[in-house]
Amino acid sequence: KDYARQQPPEMDDSIDINAVSAKAVGLVGNLIKKSTHNFQADYGTNIPAISGNTQKIEQVIINLLVNACEALTEADKAVHLSTAYDARRQQVVIEVSDQGHGIPADALQHIRDPFFTTKRDDGGTGLGLAIAERIVQDHRGEMIFTSQKDQGTTVQLRLPSTSEAETDIGGAYE
């Protein structure tokens, strides 16, 4: 056996990203309702499974949703979650965007650093995105942040799929 190539047992789940995303939305549902009147979730179709730890991926999505809600300055600003499959790259894509205050350009490069926070006055520890980044790396994925001051932030979580999606590309990236 090639032990070096085997995933540890806790990373062996076959993850349905739509189910995990929906569960994360449910777990932070009260915060979402309190933060925005404009929440939308769009779940893509024919998204293949990813391999990894279901609870850890759920933890990352929860962290992104909480951050999006906390970034909003008023309840009529929106938060949007979507899932899709990028067939060309064979990656499952989860995107969380908000119409919040945005992340200043000088802070954007540090947001994944342990103990860096823009929310120190509100009790932020600066560990959420550092932990999320480590989980995503453990799953051979990446988090891509784009943000504009007073316009909001979009986080794209890209994770390698375990198989190719069916030919129907509803909800897929081209």
Side-chain angles (χ1 to χ4, degrees):
K1 281 189 165 184
D2 185 1
Y3 290 101
R5 294 185 47 86
Q6 285 184 327
Q7 292 274 56
E10 67 274 7
M11 293 287 286
D12 231 2
D13 298 344
S14 178
I15 303 170
D16 174 345
I17 207 63
N18 285 344
V20 172
S21 296
K23 185 172 180 195
V25 167
L27 289 170
V28 294
N30 286 338
L31 176 63
I32 291 170
K33 287 177 188 154
K34 206 168 71 171
S35 303
T36 180
H37 304 304
N38 293 310
F39 176 76
Q40 185 176 352
D42 294 313
Y43 302 106
T45 58
N46 297 317
I47 299 176
I50 62 171
S51 184
N53 183 298
T54 303
Q55 289 174 322
K56 288 185 177 190
I57 294 299
E58 181 181 290
Q59 179 183 352
V60 171
I61 296 168
I62 287 170
N63 181 272
L64 297 178
L65 288 168
V66 168
N67 286 351
C69 287
E70 290 178 349
L72 299 180
T73 55
E74 50 197 69
D76 62 336
K77 300 287 188 175
V79 172
H80 182 240
L81 175 139
S82 65
T83 61
Y85 179 60
D86 182 339
R88 190 171 48 81
R89 293 184 176 164
Q90 295 187 345
Q91 291 177 327
V92 171
V93 181
I94 305 101
E95 193 169 278
V96 176
S97 59
D98 66 66
Q99 293 179 329
H101 49 71
I103 302 167
D106 58 327
L108 199 56
Q109 62 192 355
H110 298 289
I111 58 174
R112 299 172 222 205
D113 297 351
F115 306 109
F116 178 85
T117 181
T118 59
K119 301 185 273 190
R120 180 108 29 231
D121 295 340
D122 298 323
T125 62
L127 289 173
L129 288 176
I131 292 168
E133 176 74 9
R134 179 57 196 245
I135 290 169
V136 171
Q137 287 175 350
D138 288 348
H139 286 80
R140 298 177 324 277
E142 61 180 331
M143 278 194 303
I144 303 161
F145 291 82
T146 54
S147 189
Q148 286 189 296
K149 186 163 175 44
D150 301 322
Q151 300 293 311
T153 301
T154 298
V155 183
Q156 199 176 81
L157 175 57
R158 293 182 152 270
L159 299 162
S161 67
T162 54
S163 63
E164 289 193 44
E166 297 170 26
T167 54
D168 175 6
I169 55 166
Y173 286 81
E174 278 299 303

